[in-house]
Amino acid sequence: MDLEKHPQQPVAPAEPAGIRASDADRDRIADILREAMAEGRLTAEEHAERVDAVYRAKTIGELEPLVRDLPAPGGASRSAAQPGALGHESPTGPAENLVAIFSSSTRKGRWRVGGRTNAFALFGSVEIDLTEALFGQRLTVINATAIFGSVEIKVPENISLRGSGTGVFGNFEVATLESADPEAPVVVVNGYSVFGSVEAKPKRGKFIADLQDRLRKYLG
């Protein structure tokens, strides 16, 4: 075939709605849904259905209809979703999703924790134990939602733990910690509970160990 007579046609760029959604996009939509439920715009059942759809969505076009009938945070009007317009406040990288619906989900032991973890419990329980986890970054954000369920987070005593959230006929409790080490990992828990509980606290006697330092001492 003569390529000069039959030039390749350029590939048209994807429409904005067809752009693949990022984890930051999904987290931002989940935050809007959580605020809408707190304001009484969504029932617990509607919120649960939409959050499930959020974390199954593949494109921006699948996310936008989930909040089309809701105001933007602060009551501002919402324009059509554009790629990257949904916020990037959270740490970059893939998020781990722990979902418990009429069941339980647990993450513990020796594992490498990522920058973001989303925990959702509906008539179930989620347990996140960071006391033996390996932190690959300084900031770790956990977004926790409990509806007639519970999310429990355990951390070592020598890190910084901060949180922000609300409980509606439920409990949201974060035992704030500030490590003396300015380079210690920071865990931020953002949560919301309805007839449930979100709790984050240190586990007594558990500390993050500097494994590299220990290895250097062992090798002399």
Side-chain angles (χ1 to χ4, degrees):
M1 179 182 294
D2 190 344
L3 294 180
E4 291 183 355
K5 294 182 180 179
H6 301 277
Q8 248 185 342
Q9 295 297 321
V11 177
E15 291 296 322
I19 297 295
R20 300 282 291 192
S22 70
D23 288 320
D25 293 335
R26 296 185 186 90
D27 290 345
R28 177 58 177 164
I29 293 296
D31 288 342
I32 294 173
L33 294 175
R34 182 167 56 243
E35 182 172 325
M37 184 172 65
E39 295 172 347
R41 300 180 189 276
L42 294 176
T43 66
E45 292 77 14
E46 289 171 331
H47 176 266
E49 291 176 1
R50 295 196 190 193
V51 166
D52 181 61
V54 164
Y55 292 111
R56 287 189 287 104
K58 300 297 184 183
T59 66
I60 295 292
E62 292 176 83
L63 289 174
E64 198 275 336
L66 299 174
V67 294
R68 183 177 294 157
D69 59 345
L70 300 174
S77 61
R78 186 191 312 285
S79 59
Q82 298 293 331
L86 296 175
H88 296 275
E89 295 83 2
S90 300
T92 58
E96 179 171 3
N97 298 316
L98 299 174
V99 179
I101 300 177
F102 290 96
S103 62
S104 63
S105 180
T106 302
R107 197 73 163 92
K108 62 181 180 179
R110 205 70 174 167
W111 59 292
R112 184 170 293 279
V113 61
R116 289 176 296 124
T117 298
N118 301 311
F120 178 72
L122 175 64
F123 290 101
S125 64
V126 175
E127 178 185 356
I128 302 174
D129 190 337
L130 302 176
T131 57
E132 296 181 17
L134 301 175
F135 290 82
Q137 65 290 314
R138 184 162 182 264
L139 175 63
T140 297
V141 176
I142 299 176
N143 298 311
T145 302
I147 302 173
F148 292 97
S150 65
V151 176
E152 182 180 9
I153 302 160
K154 299 176 182 177
V155 303
E157 289 186 294
N158 59 335
I159 72 165
S160 294
L161 175 63
R162 302 163 189 166
S164 174
T166 306
V168 177
F169 296 105
N171 179 51
F172 176 86
E173 181 179 357
V174 173
T176 303
L177 292 174
E178 286 298 332
S179 174
D181 180 2
E183 298 302 318
V186 177
V187 176
V188 177
V189 178
N190 299 316
Y192 188 82
S193 68
V194 179
F195 291 100
S197 67
V198 174
E199 295 184 356
K201 57 187 177 181
K203 189 173 182 180
R204 294 177 63 87
K206 289 291 186 179
F207 300 92
I208 287 182
D210 187 338
L211 298 183
Q212 291 183 341
D213 188 48
R214 286 189 175 190
L215 182 59
R216 284 195 296 268
K217 290 180 179 179
Y218 177 79
L219 296 177

